[in-house]
Amino acid sequence: MDTLHIYDKLLQFALFQGLSKADLGALVTHTRLGFHKYAEGDTIARAQTTCDRLFFLIDGRVEVVTSADNGSYAVAETAAAPLLFEPEALFGVSPHYASLYRALTPCSVIGIGKDEIYKLIDRFPIFRINYFNLLSALIQKRHARCWRSHGESIDSRVVDFVHSHSRYPVGAKRVVVKMVRLAQELGCSRLEVSRALHRLQNQGRLQLFRGGFVADLAAPAHQQPTPDTFRQ
């Protein structure tokens, strides 16, 4: 990949915004960058594996799957380049990916190892500030989500459940969960959950399938995804 193309790709990410041309040139020249290609269906990163580098998706689309600790339910989302995989997972007491990342199309990824990230943080103040701002924004959003008031109706609780278990605010979500488990999560009966899901389906806000449902709760009804949006 030529240097100018690398510049353009890196500048799509907030971590590199504000770097001068000279700094960006020095970064590209002196940083070990790993360039990876993934075919459709390939796994790029697995949940609960060690995060020892930052992955920057520069081309393609991925499926991001996050599961409950006990495996009782999971949410799958689609995301497209440019995408940085879990920058918060690189440090801390548990440096592991929380989600699985699988290529939905041919994907191109740049990987930067943890040791190289340390050097960038030390050498480039703007990169360091950008990283701090990114982590702060993630923490603030998650804190605000915990304290957001929830609707009283079961329908609203279903919507809140989808949003609160999503990594990304928009896009299609495939929720794999049994009604009994969803009822437990929402604090209501299985019958109430079933009625709420069917009401939302009748409103064109989601589509039920055996073992779960698919929804893009922010999209118009005629643009709603189907179960085939994701890999079964």
Side-chain angles (χ1 to χ4, degrees), residues 36-39 41-46 49 55-57 59 61-63 85 97 99-109:
H36 309 278
K37 295 283 188 180
Y38 295 91
D42 286 351
T43 296
I44 303 173
R46 293 185 181 277
T49 59
F55 278 132
F56 299 83
L57 179 69
D59 286 301
R61 294 172 59 248
V62 294
E63 179 184 49
F85 294 5
Y97 292 106
S99 304
L100 177 145
Y101 295 80
R102 181 186 296 118
L104 288 176
T105 65
C107 291
S108 298
V109 175

Side-chain angles (χ1 to χ4, degrees), residues 126-208:
I126 291 179
F127 183 90
R128 181 165 63 248
I129 291 170
N130 287 343
Y131 208 130
F132 289 162
N133 283 336
L134 182 58
L135 295 179
S136 294
L138 288 171
I139 293 169
Q140 290 162 6
K141 288 177 181 177
R142 290 177 186 177
H143 182 269
R145 180 186 292 177
C146 292
W147 291 94
R148 185 180 62 199
S149 60
H150 300 286
E152 295 184 1
S153 71
I154 306 299
D155 300 33
S156 296
R157 290 189 221 171
V158 171
V159 174
D160 288 337
F161 177 86
V162 176
H163 285 313
S164 65
H165 289 82
S166 300
R167 294 193 66 87
Y168 309 105
V170 296
K173 320 292 180 185
R174 181 173 186 261
V175 182
V176 180
V177 61
K178 294 181 178 179
M179 286 195 187
V180 171
R181 180 59 184 176
L182 184 56
Q184 292 171 343
E185 291 292 320
L186 301 182
C188 59
S189 70
R190 181 191 180 285
L191 180 58
E192 288 175 311
V193 166
S194 177
R195 289 172 174 170
L197 291 175
H198 281 89
R199 281 194 297 270
L200 290 168
Q201 180 170 251
N202 291 337
Q203 295 168 13
R205 304 189 70 189
L206 57 80
Q207 182 172 342
L208 292 167

Side-chain angles (χ1 to χ4, degrees), residues 25-71:
L27 184 153
V28 171
T29 302
H30 299 292
T31 303
R32 291 195 298 271
L33 304 177
F35 298 93
H36 309 278
K37 295 283 188 180
Y38 295 91
E40 179 182 343
D42 286 351
T43 296
I44 303 173
R46 293 185 181 277
Q48 305 310 317
T49 59
T50 300
C51 176
D52 59 1
R53 65 194 61 246
L54 289 185
F55 278 132
F56 299 83
L57 179 69
I58 58 175
D59 286 301
R61 294 172 59 248
V62 294
E63 179 184 49
V64 184
V65 183
T66 311
S67 302
D69 287 346
N70 61 5

